[in-house]
Amino acid sequence: QVRLVESGGGLVQAGGSLKLSCAVSGRSGSTYAMGWFRQAPGEERVFLATMLWTGADTTYYVDSVKGRFTIVRDDAKSTVYLQMNNLKPEDTAVYYCAIKHSRTHIGVYYYTYANEYDDWGQGTQVTVSS
């Protein structure tokens, strides 16, 4: 069974940066996409970024983080990262990574719904102070 472990969260001042890690281990099978989501207290889990495991490693971001967050992968470490710059207090949330094993849509499609992903990590807290 695949296991995802997030790390790298913490407390940072507004304007600062954090780099979250998502280490993938276990019998992971295939990977078609990985995504990052976040969930603030009392709110739904929302999409942030996704990377398709294609030759071009196509990425897609929600508008609120575009230009500030970057998703990258390191296959040698079986790890996906979320580099977060210019953090804002409204970025405070628990951050989750997720994996999707198989393609389920034809054509150009980015997986932005939580129920489209197969396995999840336990989350890491990010707190941005003003």
Side-chain angles (χ1 to χ4, degrees):
Q1 185 173 348
V2 66
R3 183 175 181 228
L4 281 66
V5 178
E6 301 96 335
S7 61
L11 174 64
V12 64
Q13 288 188 332
S17 298
L18 282 174
K19 186 176 183 179
L20 305 183
S21 301
C22 175
V24 183
S25 63
R27 188 166 57 91
S28 59
S30 63
T31 300
Y32 186 76
M34 289 199 70
W36 283 95
F37 292 72
R38 69 186 179 195
Q39 187 168 17
E43 298 184 9
E44 294 185 352
R45 193 167 298 188
V46 297
F47 166 79
L48 299 174
T50 186
M51 174 181 283
L52 303 182
W53 250 236
T54 63
D57 286 347
T58 307
T59 58
Y60 179 79
Y61 301 87
V62 68
D63 285 346
S64 61
V65 306
K66 199 174 296 183
R68 299 191 298 127
F69 291 9
T70 304
I71 182 172
V72 296
R73 63 189 274 193
D74 184 337
D75 290 343
K77 296 182 178 180
S78 298
T79 300
V80 175
Y81 302 95
L82 186 67
Q83 176 67 49
M84 306 187 297
N85 300 325
N86 189 23
L87 284 161
K88 306 174 182 180
E90 51 264 42
D91 294 319
T92 295
V94 177
Y95 283 67
Y96 298 88
C97 65
I99 189 170
K100 181 172 181 62
H101 296 299
S102 303
R103 183 179 185 178
T104 52
H105 289 73
I106 60 173
V108 179
Y109 184 85
Y110 299 105
Y111 300 94
T112 62
Y113 294 95
N115 62 9
E116 293 179 312
Y117 288 81
D118 301 305
D119 295 286
W120 292 80
Q122 83 291 344
T124 185
Q125 176 70 46
V126 171
T127 303
V128 184
S129 63
S130 56

